[in-house]
Amino acid sequence: MHFAQYYLDCLSQASYLIGDKTTGRAVLVDPRRDIDDYLHDAEAAGLRIELVIETHIHADFLSGHLELARATGATIAFGEAAETGFPIRRLRDGERLSLGADDDQGVTLTVLATPGHTLESICLVLREHPDDDVPFGVLTGDTLFVGDVGRPDLLSAAGHTPQDMAARLHRSLHTKLLALPDATRVFPAHGAGSACGRSLSSETSSTIGDQRRFNYALQPMPVDDFIRLVTAGQPATPGYFAHDAALNRDGHPLLEPGPPPALTLDEALAAREQGAVLLDCRPLAAYTRAHLTGSLHTSLDTRFAEYAGSVVTPGTPIVLLTDPGTEQEARLRLARIGYDHVLGHLPDPAAVLDRSPALSSRSRRIRYEELGLREPQLAGAAGADGARTGGTEPADPIPTDSLPTDFLPTDSPPTDSVPADIQLIDVRNPAEYEAGALPGARNLPLAGLSHRIAELDPSRPVVLYCRSGNRSVIAAALLEARGFTDVCDVIGGYDAVGTGAQ
């Protein structure tokens, strides 16, 4: 058997190439849109990709089933309940897929219908030989993760309540997956950082036995308790999820390779006048020191595509502001979530800003101490924008004259809340906020902020914070692009409480 996992850190997404070395027949499961690695590896191993299997209709990335079908002639397959806008093979519960010369030999995959995350979700039990008592492993899609289970709330807008989907998920987990031997290896579709669950591990594989013992959602409990547990505290849904789910269901244009064209500053500004957004992809420190006024921001050293999909409306034309040599990476990572309308890139934004200081702005940032708040009782600081997602801060000091007048250092004693006219906004996910927040803060998660801006008063100052100071800068850029003039964020975020940000 040939078995390979492809893990994409920036989207916390896993795909799998499985083949029978004797026959050369292979399947690819949950592929991303850029397929060159799969094709290269399959050719090197002497494999023919005959079937592309999706464990469900993905919402967090644009899948590569159409690209692979075009490149290899492979058939696209989904669970039996899937409804798509293109021809598919429907896989039935219990169906066996043999990659051997006949059904009695060779690598075999058995389909398990496991609704709960979505209606059409399936898992695939993998055996190197059809009669193996203990399977090699099970590809669990978004039904079971290492340390978590799939969120059941993404179909709430389609007439299915999270409680109904959670009940289906419980049945799938207990009647299908936990019926497998403990030694069966677990290979999920996502890991830590994904918005498809709330407590995913950074480990990319496990076993059924370990998950039975250590996964919080698989512990013995009444069904009603399970439903309450998995429907609470889920991360905010990024704005692009519905867009990607529709494209994965209905079809989408094939990925176009190649770098985006270079634009002049005048061309970039003219594009913005016509409705495009300027997306600054440079590291946080470079952006906060100087950026084109009104540009959006998310750095390539963070969860770039996910954050971009949270602040840029699907279908909006995009002009990239990238460090030299990174424009192709930025375009590809946007394409992985279906953001194909990239008009071009502005080469060397730092040099452009040096030549055009009148078009440049500096981010307004403050230290936690300058809020004048007493330190809250720290209940936790779980988050998703720390070291592995680029949550670093600029090393240079912030000049006093860049701070809002309201927050200049004073000798006043600490208080339990900010002044009444200040809007203190926590842009972390709900579970992070509930674990501990600054006094008087409202929770408007970054993933949904663009749809809730009307809840904020643009005439009043806004102070934003997250965990480490990454998401808050992205949020500040969004508000400034929407016309807010008095916005700042807290350096170091909630992590800085009680320690200070250096």
Side-chain angles (χ1 to χ4, degrees), residues 104-153:
D104 296 327
Q105 58 182 325
V107 175
T108 302
L109 296 91
T110 302
V111 179
L112 302 179
T114 53
H117 176 64
T118 66
L119 293 173
E120 76 286 345
S121 288
I122 59 173
C123 296
L124 300 166
V125 180
L126 175 61
R127 288 179 169 86
E128 191 165 6
H129 310 97
D131 56 353
D132 288 344
D133 292 332
V134 178
F136 171 84
V138 57
L139 308 187
T140 56
D142 283 20
T143 298
L144 174 64
F145 302 123
V146 179
D148 204 353
V149 295
R151 62 188 298 172
D153 60 329

Side-chain angles (χ1 to χ4, degrees), residues 11 60-62 240 243-244 305 309 333-339:
L11 285 174
D60 58 309
F61 72 101
L62 203 57
Y240 73 93
H243 172 72
D244 278 22
R333 288 171 67 175
L334 289 173
R336 286 173 176 158
I337 64 165
Y339 279 44

Side-chain angles (χ1 to χ4, degrees), residues 57-70:
I57 296 172
H58 300 281
D60 58 309
F61 72 101
L62 203 57
S63 185
H65 48 258
L66 296 178
E67 283 81 3
L68 277 163
R70 173 71 175 270

Side-chain angles (χ1 to χ4, degrees), residues 280-283 286 300 320-328 345-350:
D280 195 318
C281 313
R282 298 174 300 149
L300 284 169
L320 301 171
L321 281 59
T322 59
D323 284 333
T326 62
E327 60 274 4
Q328 171 62 1
H345 74 104
L346 184 65
D348 200 357

Side-chain angles (χ1 to χ4, degrees), residues 275-291:
V277 299
L278 306 183
L279 183 61
D280 195 318
C281 313
R282 298 174 300 149
L284 181 148
Y287 173 84
T288 56
R289 279 195 294 267
H291 56 265

Side-chain angles (χ1 to χ4, degrees), residues 11 32 64 76 136 187 201 282 291 302 321 330 383 430 448 462 487:
L11 285 174
R32 63 180 185 258
I76 300 169
F136 171 84
F187 298 102
S201 170
R282 298 174 300 149
H291 56 265
T302 70
L321 281 59
V462 180
V487 180

Side-chain angles (χ1 to χ4, degrees), residues 403-440:
L403 302 177
T405 303
D406 305 86
F407 295 104
L408 292 176
T410 72
D411 296 326
S412 301
T415 65
D416 291 324
S417 64
V418 295
D421 64 327
I422 302 299
Q423 302 173 97
L424 180 59
I425 306 300
D426 184 326
V427 299
R428 298 176 300 162
N429 280 315
E432 299 174 80
Y433 175 78
E434 291 165 6
L438 297 184

